[in-house]
Amino acid sequence: MGLSKSDLFSKEHNEIAALARAFAHPARVAIVFHLLETKDCINGELVLELGLAQATISQHLRELKELEIIRGTIEGTKMSYCINPDKWFEIKQVFDTMFDQFEQPTDGDCC
Amino acid sequence: MGLSKSDLFSKEHNEIAALARAFAHPARVAIVFHLLETKDCINGELVLELGLAQATISQHLRELKELEIIRGTIEGTKMSYCINPDKWFEIKQVFDTMFDQFEQPTDGDCC
DNA sequence: TAATTTCATCGCAATATTACGATTATCGAG
DNA sequence: CTCGATAATCGTAATATTGCGATGAAATTA
């Protein structure tokens, strides 16, 4: 069948998966990196930067926006997008916590 | 059309996306968390833990294994999986670097 | 050796994602 | 108000992902 019976999994696991999904496509990674560098951009700029159609980029932007990773404000006839600092730190926190969960197996080698 | 014209994107962006994909499904997140906690587990244990079929979990394990996030060794008729420490730290590094790329917009508010 | 246990793989169905052309809505310029 | 520019949305095709039953392979046990 299809996708994720999300009620099988804990809220935490579902949330991490949802956040990871945001970065699970190179176009969205590229968009985020572009925003990290220029801290201000428009859809059209990205259409030139990446080689994707306007509709496609708009769709990726919407996904990032729905997760509140980015914010957009209308700037005349253009749009200005930027990283949402609060969410950015929240995500960083979530992943940091996960990565720090790992303990080196001091005793023997496990496998 | 379909998926990612991965040659449109930089090697770095593709790699981040591939790593993020590993965590982009709650079942895989749950598996990783289970390994983080018990640092040793078998497929069958996970079938009880999560509510998925044996074949499904085996498939998720394979994806994690292909990315070298986990390793598995044969233990009699069972399998013993564990986190791959080297890869774990590498991934942590990749994400840390990305998250630290963000600079708070000191001057004005951008959007 | 035959039965059992455990996991991987195959093949397929169901669903999600990605991509894009076409259309629509909004704003600024003339 | 009309036109041009810009980005969101719609509809749809192509592709990827998930999930699982059935089957297969390898080791253990009886």
Side-chain angles (χ1 to χ4, degrees):
Chain A
M1 304 175 186
L3 235 211
S4 82
K5 322 172 124 186
S6 60
D7 42 314
L8 275 184
F9 310 104
S10 78
K11 193 167 180 179
E12 184 192 8
H13 296 170
N14 276 313
E15 190 187 328
I16 291 178
L19 292 176
R21 248 194 45 69
F23 299 97
H25 192 285
R28 287 191 293 270
V29 174
I31 288 172
V32 167
F33 270 62
H34 187 82
L35 289 177
L36 284 171
E37 284 164 17
T38 69
K39 64 172 51 175
D40 199 277
C41 82
I42 53 176
N43 191 331
E45 213 175 287
L46 287 168
V47 174
L48 300 179
E49 197 93 13
L50 320 179
L52 296 173
Q54 183 265 324
T56 305
I57 290 178
S58 194
Q59 201 173 346
H60 283 305
L61 285 167
R62 178 165 53 157
E63 289 181 64
L64 290 170
K65 205 163 43 178
E66 271 167 3
L67 285 166
E68 302 188 90
I69 294 173
I70 67 174
R71 265 187 314 219
T73 51
I74 301 173
E75 193 100 11
T77 103
K78 307 193 180 181
M79 281 297 285
S80 183
Y81 285 104
C82 68
I83 303 279
N84 175 354
D86 292 344
K87 190 71 180 186
W88 190 258
F89 289 124
E90 183 193 318
I91 296 177
K92 173 182 167 57
Q93 193 63 41
V94 168
F95 279 89
D96 273 359
T97 301
M98 182 177 75
F99 286 127
D100 290 342
Q101 210 83 26
F102 177 68
E103 283 176 30
Q104 199 71 242
T106 49
D107 39 328
D109 22 356
C110 73
C111 68
Chain B
M1 306 178 184
L3 236 210
S4 82
K5 321 172 125 188
S6 60
D7 42 314
L8 275 183
F9 310 104
S10 78
K11 192 167 179 178
E12 185 191 8
H13 296 170
N14 276 313
E15 190 187 327
I16 292 178
L19 291 177
R21 246 193 46 68
F23 299 97
H25 192 285
R28 287 191 293 271
V29 174
I31 288 173
V32 167
F33 270 62
H34 187 81
L35 288 178
L36 285 171
E37 283 165 18
T38 70
K39 63 172 51 177
D40 199 279
C41 81
I42 53 175
N43 191 332
E45 214 176 285
L46 288 167
V47 173
L48 299 179
E49 198 92 13
L50 319 179
L52 296 173
Q54 182 265 323
T56 306
I57 290 179
S58 193
Q59 200 173 349
H60 283 305
L61 285 168
R62 179 166 54 158
E63 289 181 65
L64 291 170
K65 205 163 41 176
E66 271 167 0
L67 285 166
E68 302 187 271
I69 294 173
I70 67 174
R71 266 187 315 218
T73 51
I74 302 174
E75 194 101 11
T77 106
K78 308 194 179 179
M79 281 296 287
S80 183
Y81 285 104
C82 68
I83 303 277
N84 175 353
D86 293 343
K87 190 71 179 187
W88 190 259
F89 288 124
E90 182 193 317
I91 297 176
K92 172 182 167 58
Q93 193 62 41
V94 167
F95 280 89
D96 273 359
T97 302
M98 181 179 74
F99 286 128
D100 290 342
Q101 210 83 28
F102 178 67
E103 283 176 32
Q104 198 72 242
T106 49
D107 40 327
D109 21 357
C110 71
C111 65

